[in-house]
Amino acid sequence: MDDHGLTHFKLEIEGSTLEMKKGAEVDVEAIQKLMSLAQPTYLHAAPAPMAAPAPAAGPAAPAAPAPVAEGGLAPGEVEIKSILVGTFFRAPSPDADVFVKEGSEVSEDSVVCIVEAMKVMNQITAGVRGKITKILVENGTPVQYGDPLFVVKLA
Amino acid sequence: MHGGALDALAIRSALTDRLGPRLAGRFEPRVLAVTCSTNDDALALGHGGASEGTVVLAEHQTAGRGRRGDAWVSPPGTNLLFSLLLQPTVGLATWTRLPHLAGLAVCRALESQFPALTEPHLKWPNDLYLDDRKLAGILVESRSTGGRPPCAVVGIGLNVNGLPAEFPEDLRPIATTLREHTGHLIDRNTLVAAILAEWAALYPTGLCSDFAPVRDELRRRSWLIGREIVVLANGNELAGRAHDIGPEGELHLLTPGGAIETIRSADRVIWRTVR
């Protein structure tokens, strides 16, 4: 904002608003919400250390909240999340082999599980290249939108 | 093989007769002699950028499957095995309507093609019954990838020109074919065009608008409502009477204790006796 001489910046995407005023506190929550809207990806990387907000002019502004580590992801790890509400299945059928185990190598197009929602079998693909390090959900249990399903160590 | 072969040109021509060239042009039939699974093929095509309306048909499937990996048995050149590729623009939560819409499309097509046929019914979650025996199965699958819009395929297996004697012995009492009911061989190209034409009428509004009219038709066509059933899901059993179809196509089960359970997922629905 300093570079462009702005004092007020307002962005609206899909009903969410981000408003920045010079000298005011940075609304980290709004920024994160907007970032999630602007990037419709189903993967959430371990949060990178956030740059400290530039010292605000005028009276001391409260510091932005420290980023909370998500599920204790190590650097280079990402989560594969559920993109819908349904039932999590690790194999195509009850007596078939599982799609992936801990240690399985996956590529972007590897199917890692099925989330079934009322007769629709949704094959979830890894979306990244790497190795499955954790399976976070029991076979046959319900999952919600955004629930982490797997942890992948990126190749 | 019983009856004529599947033929993309004949399907296209029958579609044009029903829908006119503009709407018919939204479907692109592709006929394969043999494949593992038309659903897999359609998903792969969708992944590779094929457009909505691509229809993969096969004379023979070597690894056809039903829900949760059940095998789908079909002698070569006899039945309809096809998968329709979709790229719905609505949120994934509404995709659960797809199997219901597909079931209705098949019911309506059968009624328009064979007016003398006994009324087809839908057995929740994914079967079509004729005279209390299974005539067709529907399997909807989607593939979702990080960042890219997911696509869905509606897979339909419909017993057309086979004879009951050709089924494996254990299926004979519970499965049927159209030929058994009509007494003659059926042109599969015309039939699949009729199903796709019904789909074209149902899909846009059924997926994006009020589901109430669809729900009413699902109730009317329900084979389960009123029957005593056992629902098997993830190793659990739930017994009761099929009570209703819910606002988004769920099954409402009336338990012996008088509670209404909403069933959204089931490995098997077993019915006992007609009361």
Side-chain angles (χ1 to χ4, degrees):
Chain A
M1 286 170 80
D2 279 339
D3 289 350
H4 297 90
L6 292 172
T7 54
H8 185 191
F9 171 75
K10 191 174 176 182
L11 174 64
E12 281 189 53
I13 302 176
E14 294 179 28
S16 286
T17 310
L18 169 64
E19 201 162 358
M20 294 170 92
K21 286 179 188 154
K22 204 167 176 183
E25 176 183 347
V26 176
D27 188 346
V28 175
E29 212 171 288
I31 293 172
Q32 284 171 342
K33 190 170 174 205
L34 276 165
M35 292 304 285
S36 70
L37 285 174
Q39 296 174 314
T41 172
Y42 310 120
L43 296 161
H44 281 236
M50 208 182 241
V68 180
E70 214 174 75
L73 288 181
E77 285 186 338
V78 295
E79 286 172 339
I80 302 174
K81 298 195 170 198
S82 182
I83 54 168
L84 73 164
V85 178
T87 306
F88 172 83
F89 291 111
R90 289 189 55 198
S93 66
D95 35 6
D97 289 339
V98 295
F99 291 110
V100 290
K101 299 173 188 163
E102 286 184 1
S104 295
E105 303 277 350
V106 293
S107 63
E108 287 83 350
D109 292 341
S110 305
V111 175
V112 291
C113 66
I114 284 173
V115 176
E116 189 220 341
M118 232 162 65
K119 310 197 290 186
V120 182
M121 317 305 288
N122 299 283
Q123 301 176 1
I124 310 293
T125 48
V128 290
R129 186 174 290 274
K131 188 187 274 188
I132 302 282
T133 55
K134 269 187 215 134
I135 297 162
L136 303 168
V137 183
E138 285 286 316
N139 187 55
T141 55
V143 292
Q144 300 299 314
Y145 176 87
D147 278 359
L149 307 173
F150 299 90
V151 176
V152 182
K153 171 93 176 158
L154 294 176
Chain B
M1 182 176 292
H2 302 295
L6 290 170
D7 176 2
L9 276 178
I11 296 168
R12 223 184 268 269
S13 155
L15 269 170
T16 308
D17 289 347
R18 291 180 157 269
L19 295 174
R22 193 180 60 85
L23 266 180
R26 294 190 187 169
F27 292 101
E28 199 210 322
R30 302 184 186 195
V31 175
L32 306 172
V34 59
T35 188
C36 290
S37 148
T38 57
N39 264 24
D40 284 348
D41 293 337
L43 279 171
L45 284 169
H47 205 65
S51 55
E52 174 164 285
T54 301
V55 188
V56 180
L57 302 100
E59 292 286 10
H60 185 43
Q61 273 189 147
T62 54
R65 61 175 183 272
R67 207 180 148 281
R68 298 284 298 130
D70 294 345
W72 182 264
V73 182
S74 172
T78 304
N79 299 318
L80 273 178
L81 310 164
F82 66 100
S83 300
L84 169 64
L85 174 65
L86 302 169
Q87 280 138 353
T89 50
V90 295
L92 275 171
T94 324
W95 292 24
T96 53
R97 295 178 176 187
L98 292 172
H100 299 300
L101 295 171
L104 293 186
V106 177
C107 285
R108 289 182 182 188
L110 291 176
E111 285 175 348
S112 78
Q113 294 294 291
F114 312 103
L117 199 68
T118 166
E119 194 186 352
H121 287 96
L122 295 170
K123 177 183 176 249
W124 195 96
N126 58 342
D127 291 336
L128 190 145
Y129 272 36
L130 203 58
D131 230 1
D132 296 343
R133 286 183 293 159
K134 180 164 170 171
L135 181 76
I138 292 158
L139 179 66
V140 177
E141 295 182 277
S142 83
R143 191 169 293 172
S144 316
T145 55
R148 268 174 294 182
C151 54
V153 296
V154 175
I156 297 176
L158 174 64
N159 298 331
V160 184
N161 284 330
L163 292 167
E166 293 167 347
F167 285 121
E169 205 163 325
D170 56 330
L171 291 183
R172 277 176 216 164
I174 52 172
T176 187
T177 75
L178 273 179
R179 185 179 173 191
E180 185 186 3
H181 284 268
T182 61
H184 59 80
L185 288 170
I186 288 149
D187 176 22
R188 290 176 294 155
N189 297 313
T190 311
L191 180 55
V192 73
I195 294 168
L196 294 173
E198 296 294 348
W199 176 264
L202 273 162
Y203 173 57
T205 50
L207 198 60
C208 302
S209 315
D210 184 13
F211 198 61
V214 176
R215 180 193 185 190
D216 286 343
E217 190 172 343
L218 290 173
R219 285 163 150 164
R220 184 164 62 75
R221 294 189 184 277
S222 171
W223 187 83
L224 274 189
I225 289 179
R227 289 179 197 258
E228 296 292 331
I229 58 172
V230 178
V231 177
L232 305 181
N234 311 322
N236 299 319
E237 284 190 11
L238 195 58
R241 178 177 296 169
H243 180 70
D244 198 4
I245 301 294
E248 281 291 327
E250 322 86 300
L251 179 67
H252 287 176
L253 187 74
L254 179 64
T255 65
I260 301 281
E261 295 276 348
T262 300
I263 313 286
R264 293 192 172 81
S265 171
D267 290 333
R268 287 268 186 291
V269 176
I270 300 167
W271 60 285
R272 292 159 166 171
T273 46
V274 186
R275 294 261 170 114

